[in-house]
Amino acid sequence: MTNNQLGVLHALDSAKTQWYHFTAIVIAGMGFFTDAYDLFCIALITKLLGRIYYHDEKVNKPGILPPRIAAAVNGVAFCGTLAGQLFFGWLGDKLGRKRVYGLTLMLMVVCSIASGLSFGKTPEGVMATLCFFRFWLGFGIGGDYPLSATIMSEYANKKTRGAFIAAVFAMQGFGILAGGIVALIVSFAFDHAYKVDSYDVIGQMSTVPQADYIWRIILMFGAVPALLTYYWRMRMPETARYTALVARNSKQAAADMSKVLNVELNPEEDKVVAAPSNSFGLFSKEFAKRHGLHLLGTTTTWFLLDIAFYSSNLFQKDIFTAIGWLPNPRFMSATHEVYRVARAQTLIALCGTVPGYWFTVALIDHIGRFTIQLIGFFFMTVFMFALAIPYHHWKTHNAGFLIMYSLTFFFANFGPNATTFVVPAEIFPARLRSTCHGISAAAGKAGAIVGSFGFLYASQSQTKPDPGYRPGIGVKNALMVLGAVNCLGFLFTFLVPESKGKSLEELTGEDEEDVRNQKTISDEKVPV
């Protein structure tokens, strides 16, 4: 313990892993479970929305969402998430983490339910209502990113901090998996309750009227886990680091932590906190000097990662159809198509997505954030090129494609998808931590927007694009572009510092600043 470090902060850094740490992981993690469920379940229902609302009798094939509608439905939540990350990240530093933590959760609950209740007199009216609520759902989700990461980093001890933050983020994998499972159950139930032939046999009658309930139930289920954790989230005390370093109240910080952690704290020890600590702002030269390259590193790597990660996740169904793993929509009923798409996504999540997250949790405090991020980007690049270069070979070898495709998700999650979330919560000063994490996360969502809109158009066939779309560069070339994006992510990782095994104050320089403040106060007390 350095002489200047507050007793309460030292107690947090050296505290043994306790039951409350696991409670905090679950409380914060259930928010991420909901986030992932809500963001990725839309990919399971877009084909169904096209069949229900945009069938054209003149075209002998199931209806699909028009390009602008598909882009809006897939991408509008990301626009809301980006805005929410910036707003709630800033608000979390101004008002405190806890005060705005419950607001984000309630916004998710209300908008999840409202999304499933989207109605209108015309298809455009239904889609406009859905997009409106999906934007505000994304806004709430956006707030959960900086707040959950910051809260977990400020509660954790320095020995296992990386694992705790990564465990919160790993709940995203279970959220993606849960989306697939819920869609499987709901579509299976409707498929057996309303048995109909495929589209090529009975045309639009293959989409039973009751299919309209399927997408609504899937969307509304996202409110359940968020609602279950609201009470416990409201009972969490403000983090000691915010109370001591930003609110400047060490006694309250000690009292709060004594209630939830099995440690004895003496607030009288914490005499330094009244001194003004490093007070440079986000747009100051001092911040640029100390943390400018760090912020550039966290924003660029998250931006590049999300281009590849979200485009691959949202358009799995299109990739699987292109390689022949999913049948042509004409040979399925609407409910059975949802079932087949959900089954494919669940299999990928189970085999690649979920294991990758927990490998990170197990190893992040042993081999470090920097190494894991480099490994992840490297293998994502390798496997993306391995899919793209012999692309036509995989059309007759589906099993090999699925293995390689699963490995790209494994190394995304045992790699930059986890570390880009962890590092910004550790390397910035307490009073700017939530803001900087929000900026980094918003850069990621900008990448998700590029990926979701860009891949939708780019992956179109060069010779036979879907109706309403212009010819694109094809799935093969789109995968090549994603491989190049991952390669850039590998290079920009060298701007990100290693934070393993260090206290937050050591990483941000707040210890050094407090030493100078102590000396200044001591000098002022010396009689002249």
Side-chain angles (χ1 to χ4, degrees), residues 440-461:
S440 302
K445 281 302 164 284
I449 293 167
V450 171
S452 62
F453 289 123
F455 195 86
L456 179 66
Y457 291 95
S459 62
Q460 292 295 317
S461 169

Side-chain angles (χ1 to χ4, degrees), residues 373-410:
Q373 187 159 311
L374 281 182
I375 290 171
F377 269 128
F378 175 79
F379 281 106
M380 286 175 71
T381 304
V382 169
F383 288 119
M384 203 63 81
F385 282 133
L387 290 172
I389 294 170
Y391 175 71
H392 296 291
H393 166 80
W394 298 121
K395 288 192 172 184
T396 54
H397 296 78
N398 294 162
F401 183 92
L402 291 174
I403 292 169
M404 302 280 275
Y405 195 64
S406 295
L407 284 170
T408 63
F409 283 105
F410 175 84

Side-chain angles (χ1 to χ4, degrees), residues 50-373:
R51 281 181 178 255
I52 295 171
Y53 295 105
Y54 289 93
H55 178 253
D56 186 350
E57 296 289 349
K58 299 176 183 177
V59 181
N60 188 27
K61 61 194 302 187
I64 62 170
L65 293 177
R68 60 185 178 82
I69 301 295
V73 169
N74 280 300
V76 70
F78 296 137
C79 297
T81 304
L82 189 156
Q85 286 163 337
L86 293 173
F87 177 73
F88 285 112
W90 168 79
L91 204 62
D93 283 332
K94 293 296 179 185
L95 301 182
R97 300 16 169 162
K98 180 192 173 181
R99 290 181 68 180
V100 292
Y101 206 26
L103 178 59
T104 62
L105 206 63
M106 284 313 298
L107 198 53
M108 286 190 279
V109 169
V110 171
C111 291
S112 290
I113 295 171
S115 295
L117 297 175
S118 300
F119 292 100
K121 292 183 178 179
T122 63
E124 288 75 15
V126 175
M127 294 301 111
T129 309
L130 175 61
C131 287
F132 174 82
F133 288 117
R134 292 280 298 173
F135 175 87
W136 290 107
L137 172 66
F139 193 72
I141 289 172
D144 227 45
Y145 274 74
L147 295 172
S148 290
T150 302
I151 285 171
M152 201 64 241
S153 73
E154 293 181 346
Y155 272 133
N157 61 58
K158 67 180 180 182
K159 185 178 179 182
T160 56
R161 185 180 62 239
F164 287 169
I165 305 172
V168 169
F169 193 64
M171 295 299 286
Q172 186 181 73
F174 288 126
I176 295 171
L177 182 62
I181 292 171
V182 170
L184 271 175
I185 294 170
V186 174
S187 59
F188 179 82
F190 275 80
D191 200 25
H192 280 258
Y194 305 98
K195 289 183 178 293
V196 291
D197 286 321
S198 60
Y199 183 88
D200 70 321
V201 177
I202 58 174
Q204 182 60 7
M205 291 176 65
S206 64
T207 305
V208 296
Q210 293 81 1
D212 193 55
Y213 293 115
I214 294 176
W215 68 270
R216 298 179 186 278
I217 292 169
I218 292 171
L219 291 182
M220 287 194 286
F221 187 83
V224 175
L227 198 58
L228 291 175
T229 53
Y230 179 78
Y231 170 75
W232 300 105
R233 188 172 279 200
M234 289 297 90
R235 291 194 63 185
M236 293 178 77
E238 182 57 84
T239 70
R241 283 186 161 88
Y242 182 87
T243 305
L245 297 174
V246 182
R248 321 303 289 171
N249 188 341
S250 62
K251 289 186 179 182
Q252 186 62 49
D256 287 343
M257 288 304 98
S258 293
K259 291 177 184 176
V260 296
L261 294 176
N262 187 25
V263 291
E264 289 295 328
L265 298 172
N266 180 8
E268 295 304 317
E269 294 176 2
D270 301 330
K271 303 170 184 176
V272 188
V273 81
S277 73
N278 46 355
S279 56
F280 53 84
L282 180 64
F283 301 105
S284 66
K285 290 182 180 179
E286 187 66 21
F287 179 87
K289 179 182 174 182
R290 294 193 186 195
H291 302 291
L293 283 178
H294 297 163
L295 188 58
L296 178 63
T298 58
T299 52
T300 51
T301 52
W302 207 335
F303 173 79
L304 293 164
L305 174 275
D306 275 7
I307 291 176
F309 184 75
Y310 279 88
S311 59
S312 298
N313 251 308
L314 287 173
F315 300 104
Q316 284 181 35
K317 59 189 182 302
D318 302 298
I319 295 171
F320 294 153
T321 301
I323 65 161
W325 191 45
L326 288 178
N328 188 297
R330 293 181 68 250
F331 304 121
M332 295 182 283
S333 67
T335 53
H336 190 66
E337 185 177 26
V338 176
Y339 175 81
R340 292 294 295 267
V341 171
R343 190 176 70 173
Q345 179 166 308
T346 302
L347 185 63
I348 292 293
L350 201 57
C351 297
T353 304
V354 173
Y357 284 110
W358 293 99
F359 266 74
T360 299
V361 173
L363 297 174
I364 192 168
D365 287 312
H366 297 285
I367 64 177
R369 292 76 160 141
F370 178 79
T371 303
I372 288 176
Q373 187 159 311

